[in-house]
Amino acid sequence: MAAGTDEPPPRHPAHGLLDTVAATIWSGRLRPPDGRLRLPSGPVRPRRGRLVGGVCAGLARSLGWNVWFVRALLLIINGPLYVLLWVLMPPEGPDGRATDTRGRNVVVWLALLGLGAGTAAVTAAQLASTGVPTGPAIVVGVAVGTALPVLLWSPLLAWRILAGAELLGLVGFALWTDGVVLRLWPWPIPGLVLLALVLFLVALRYERRIAVCAGAVTIVADVAVAPALTAVPLYAPLLLALVMAAALVLGDSIRTRRHVERRLAQETDRRRQDLARQAVLEERARIARDLHDVVGHHMSMIAIQAEAAAYKVPDLPEPLRVPLTVINQAARAALAETRRIVGLLRDDADGSADGDAEPGAERCPPPGLDGLDDLVERARGSGIDVSASVLGVPVPLPIAVDVSAYRIVQEALTNVAHHAPGASAEVVIGYHRTSLAVRITDDGPAQGHRSTTGGGGHGLVGMRERVAMLGGRLSVGPADAGGFVVSAQLPIGAEDGH
């Protein structure tokens, strides 16, 4: 390594393998990266159910049985089973999920403790019946039984206990058992069943290198050495090795699928956010284009009038000529700066905000409510039964309000065509003293019609941008009678109304 560099020397691959073995057997983190094992969700007691009825209804709803049949069955069985169900079934929360699972967790842990005690007794009895002394048989049995209650806290620790217990049992079987016939199956059967389950959980909850190392150690130390210590046929260790490998593969495949699903959900959410940001940029670029047309029109008129004043009024006094020249130059400079800013906004939005706009459309006059009839006709051509009505006395609108109202109606009808094909829609424009009301409602997709696009709600983002720019209010959501409603209030100023 060159002098003065801080790069560490490359590690030999064997070092990484030894680190993995050490982390698996004794030095690694015992708790899974995702925390302790979580019990699967089960039936919950309804919040408003009676004492007996709540348990019965929750069980019946989970199993799909007739509730009266379950109540009759529980009345017959009664007693301890009912108490057990009451503890195991947590109460239902406002969202329909369990609110407190501590009682169920305690009962499950006590059940595992009892099952572990039974497993320990069976294991010790099996070893003792084959000639292993009582003391070593009890030690191996207690170790096998201890792994069960430990399983909820750390599958890796449970594997260490089980793997060591199976190895001790195998050695004791070889040392103290006489006769070839008795050596045909040297493993404690309860420990083998638990070992396969624990390997599955290790592969499910820990990283792959830890699971592979645990499986390799199990197959080598607990399975492959059996023919060397006992007279067991070769097919028995081979069969056990296949079972252990299958448990590892199943757990790893489920873990990989869950990881991919989480990554896919994250990528989907990130893409949804990116699309929403892109929609905001595109709508702002279109708003900038509309405002450019509005401001450009007025600034051009100011510049033209200021320049024409010198020709309309002969012998214009110098004190007036200079301010008019300044006004003309300022208007032209403002118009050029507006065009430059709008160009930057369009570049940020990857070109024109309207992806389907025709070339040169941005040079057309901005649309307004005077084009509402044409907009309705185009919507009818897409298969929507649209009706439009105007309430109040129409008044001249500020251009920004006029353009925004048109765009809101346009986007709402586009959403109806995409998400509710064949629907009937109604557009209502209401002129008030200080505001303009825009309301678009539909009755949902017609029978036999399906949505033509999944949609991302980005048109609503554009509506909110326009309404927020004007200081108005926007309300969108399902209608009471079905369908969807878009309602906007755009301020126009008291001086502009009647």
Side-chain angles (χ1 to χ4, degrees), residues 245-267:
L248 285 172
V249 170
L250 179 60
D252 184 74
S253 63
I254 295 177
R255 178 180 178 274
T256 302
R257 179 176 60 82
R258 290 179 177 177
H259 176 72
V260 171
E261 288 176 349
R262 286 194 297 266
R263 290 289 303 273
L264 181 60
Q266 294 172 357
E267 292 297 329

Side-chain angles (χ1 to χ4, degrees), residues 264-481:
L264 181 60
Q266 294 172 357
E267 292 297 329
T268 301
D269 185 64
R270 188 177 297 112
R271 175 172 172 77
R272 187 182 299 112
Q273 295 176 0
D274 292 340
L275 289 176
R277 285 193 291 266
Q278 182 66 21
V280 170
L281 291 176
E282 290 177 354
E283 190 63 22
R284 286 180 179 177
R286 191 161 68 170
I287 292 173
R289 184 183 69 199
D290 294 339
L291 290 179
H292 164 262
D293 294 337
V294 174
V295 175
H297 171 73
H298 290 295
M299 297 304 295
S300 297
M301 293 300 298
I302 292 174
I304 292 174
Q305 292 297 328
E307 187 175 2
Y311 300 98
K312 292 181 178 179
V313 181
D315 302 327
L316 188 68
E318 190 64 23
L320 290 179
R321 186 184 301 276
V322 173
L324 288 175
T325 302
V326 173
I327 291 173
N328 178 272
Q329 294 174 350
R332 293 184 181 276
L335 183 59
E337 187 68 16
T338 300
R339 288 172 177 167
R340 185 184 68 83
I341 294 175
V342 171
L344 291 176
L345 287 175
R346 288 175 182 167
D347 292 340
D348 290 340
D350 294 330
S352 173
D354 244 344
D356 56 353
E358 297 178 358
E362 66 272 13
R363 294 189 295 270
C364 298
L369 290 180
D370 55 351
L372 181 61
D373 293 338
D374 294 336
L375 183 60
V376 169
E377 286 299 324
R378 289 197 299 271
R380 288 171 181 166
S382 64
I384 308 174
D385 183 13
V386 187
S387 62
S389 59
V390 177
L391 305 179
V393 179
V395 296
L397 299 172
I399 297 182
V401 174
D402 197 18
V403 174
S404 296
Y406 178 90
R407 294 297 191 193
I408 290 173
V409 175
Q410 182 185 42
E411 188 60 46
L413 293 179
T414 300
N415 287 341
V416 173
H418 287 171
H419 301 288
S424 296
E426 181 182 14
V427 179
V428 179
I429 307 295
Y431 289 85
H432 303 286
R433 191 174 66 88
T434 60
S435 65
L436 176 72
V438 181
R439 183 180 178 87
I440 305 95
T441 58
D442 67 82
D443 57 1
Q447 188 70 23
H449 288 71
R450 300 180 61 183
S451 173
T452 58
T453 179
H458 306 312
L460 301 180
V461 174
M463 294 183 192
R464 292 191 178 94
E465 285 288 317
R466 289 185 177 275
V467 174
M469 176 189 69
L470 297 173
R473 298 191 306 272
L474 179 68
S475 173
V476 295
D480 295 336

